[in-house]
Amino acid sequence: MNKIAFVAIASLAIAACGTQGNGATGVKALQDSTIKIHDEIMPQIAHFDRDAVKIDSILANLKNLKIAKADLDTNLTRKELGTLKANLESATDHMMDWMKGYNPDSTDVKYFETELQKVSDMKKIFDSVSKESQDKLKNF
């Protein structure tokens, strides 16, 4: 009887350790994936900041640009560049807010699944804004 109880308890202990190990491994894998995506998009903030400064410069010099390019629609350009600058700032703010709320010390798999989804969605936004910026600023 003692041997059966010992085997049962040992089996439960081994199973519990195995579950914790897989949970910890799962958390680590999700955390690593989350940080990998973060690290891919974080450097884009510097580009977004430079593009915002470029937009400010373009908008400040629209009269001179109109002289150089008579066919330039300054109203449309002002509107498009204003929207682009807002999108650049929004993406950057989104990243900063996410980083403030991120808890790397969590051990909850669900938390990291949610954070991985958030950062994946943010990557899509960053990629979209980056493309928009390249397209709109290439002629300036």
Side-chain angles (χ1 to χ4, degrees), residues 55-73:
I55 290 168
D56 288 340
S57 177
I58 292 166
L59 292 175
N61 293 301
L62 268 180
K63 287 182 184 180
N64 294 335
L65 288 171
K66 178 68 174 173
I67 293 169
K69 296 180 177 184
D71 62 336
L72 180 67
D73 183 342

Side-chain angles (χ1 to χ4, degrees), residues 98-113:
W98 177 81
M99 288 186 336
K100 286 178 190 172
Y102 182 67
N103 180 10
D105 298 326
S106 177
T107 57
D108 183 13
V109 171
K110 292 280 188 209
Y111 173 78
F112 282 106
E113 288 172 347

Side-chain angles (χ1 to χ4, degrees), residues 22-48:
N22 290 341
T25 302
V27 166
K28 179 71 172 138
L30 287 167
Q31 185 180 31
D32 289 348
S33 295
T34 300
I35 295 302
K36 181 179 179 191
I37 294 171
H38 162 272
D39 291 349
E40 288 174 19
I41 60 178
M42 186 66 185
Q44 290 183 31
I45 289 178
H47 295 285
F48 288 2

Side-chain angles (χ1 to χ4, degrees), residues 4-133:
I4 294 174
F6 176 76
V7 170
I9 291 172
S11 297
L12 288 173
I14 291 170
C17 290
T19 301
Q20 282 180 331
N22 290 341
T25 302
V27 166
K28 179 71 172 138
L30 287 167
Q31 185 180 31
D32 289 348
S33 295
T34 300
I35 295 302
K36 181 179 179 191
I37 294 171
H38 162 272
D39 291 349
E40 288 174 19
I41 60 178
M42 186 66 185
Q44 290 183 31
I45 289 178
H47 295 285
F48 288 2
D49 290 343
R50 282 192 295 273
D51 288 350
V53 169
K54 185 174 182 177
I55 290 168
D56 288 340
S57 177
I58 292 166
L59 292 175
N61 293 301
L62 268 180
K63 287 182 184 180
N64 294 335
L65 288 171
K66 178 68 174 173
I67 293 169
K69 296 180 177 184
D71 62 336
L72 180 67
D73 183 342
T74 56
N75 288 329
L76 179 62
T77 300
R78 185 177 311 282
K79 182 180 176 185
E80 287 180 346
L81 293 181
T83 300
L84 174 58
K85 185 175 178 188
N87 292 343
L88 292 166
E89 290 171 349
S90 176
T92 299
D93 291 346
H94 192 68
M95 172 64 87
M96 295 305 149
D97 290 344
W98 177 81
M99 288 186 336
K100 286 178 190 172
Y102 182 67
N103 180 10
D105 298 326
S106 177
T107 57
D108 183 13
V109 171
K110 292 280 188 209
Y111 173 78
F112 282 106
E113 288 172 347
T114 300
E115 294 306 299
L116 180 58
Q117 185 60 52
K118 284 180 188 177
V119 81
S120 295
D121 292 344
M122 195 172 5
K123 181 176 181 355
K124 292 175 188 170
I125 292 168
F126 268 64
D127 290 345
S128 174
V129 171
S130 181
K131 181 172 179 358
E132 177 187 7
S133 185

